[in-house]
Amino acid sequence: MRTLALAIVALATVSAAGPAAAQTYDPAYPVCLHVYGPITYYDCRYTSLAQCNGSAAGRAAQCEVNPYFVRIGGRHPRPRPTY
């Protein structure tokens, strides 16, 4: 009886886990368009916020800076110390 209960709990735990989502950001472009609606998605193919804002005008969308953008050389600039 205890084995059956543990099997049911294990099956419920595995069934409750949702599907894994893939990375939605393209690391080749610095700006992404986040489109809202029945199907929400990211479109990362913009090189500037102005270019992205032109595509977002009149739509349920907003432009966001791509947190996964890889700069040439692969390094982010170091922040300046504030004194």
Side-chain angles (χ1 to χ4, degrees):
M1 188 68 168
R2 178 178 278 173
T3 306
L4 178 62
L6 288 175
I8 291 172
V9 168
L11 183 62
T13 303
V14 170
S15 298
Q23 180 177 342
T24 57
Y25 297 99
D26 183 0
Y29 293 96
V31 180
C32 297
L33 178 68
H34 188 180
V35 180
Y36 301 97
I39 300 174
T40 300
Y41 62 94
Y42 287 90
D43 183 13
C44 297
R45 59 180 174 151
Y46 300 99
T47 56
S48 68
L49 284 171
Q51 181 186 25
C52 180
N53 284 330
S55 294
R59 300 170 64 182
Q62 76 181 46
C63 297
E64 300 176 358
V65 175
N66 186 351
Y68 298 103
F69 173 62
V70 179
R71 289 172 175 74
I72 295 174
R75 294 186 53 184
H76 294 283
R78 292 175 53 189
R80 293 182 182 179
T82 56
Y83 297 104

